[in-house]
Amino acid sequence: MTKLTEHFTLEEFTRSTTADRLKIDNRVPDNLMANVQLTAIKLELVRKALGKPIIITSGYRCPALNAKVGGVATSAHTKGLAVDFKSSFGTPKEICQQLVDAGVQFDKLIQEHNQWVHIGFSPTHNRQIVLTAAKQGGKTVYLSGLK
Ligand SMILES: [Zn+2]
């Protein structure tokens, strides 16, 4: 195991059942390691704001894996700057609300389908964008704020 910060390992960022199944090499390239390290540092602040562990369900995605899971090509996951996660703190909406209330910095925070939370960071400028992903007519739409 490669430890990034006190509570997060590199393996938590790269593991993917889809990558395993399709034999996709989802290791983080050297040029993106600084981003993953930054994300781990930011996630420590998320964990602190929640007072509970967080479980990363999807972290870094190489372009091949990202395409397989239906991510947009420009996804922050492909840069090592975003994770999807859950926490025993509460529902995705409760988690998002707590992070906003606690003043945690992020570029983008998305309450995804009442199932998980997406959080993305920027190395330079965090925009504090809050969205809710929901299905409308079979298509995913992104609504402003927490719904
Ligand atoms: Zn995501």
Side-chain angles (χ1 to χ4, degrees), residues 47-105:
R47 191 183 191 279
K48 199 172 171 193
L50 297 175
K52 297 274 184 190
I54 71 176
I55 299 143
I56 299 172
T57 54
S58 180
Y60 171 70
R61 297 178 197 153
C62 68
L65 173 60
N66 190 58
K68 284 291 174 196
V69 298
V72 290
T74 55
S75 169
H77 286 276
T78 63
K79 302 177 184 81
L81 289 171
V83 300
D84 297 336
F85 73 94
K86 298 176 181 191
S87 170
S88 61
F89 176 85
T91 65
K93 186 178 173 181
E94 288 166 344
I95 291 167
C96 289
Q97 189 63 58
Q98 172 64 15
L99 298 183
V100 170
D101 292 348
V104 170
Q105 279 197 358

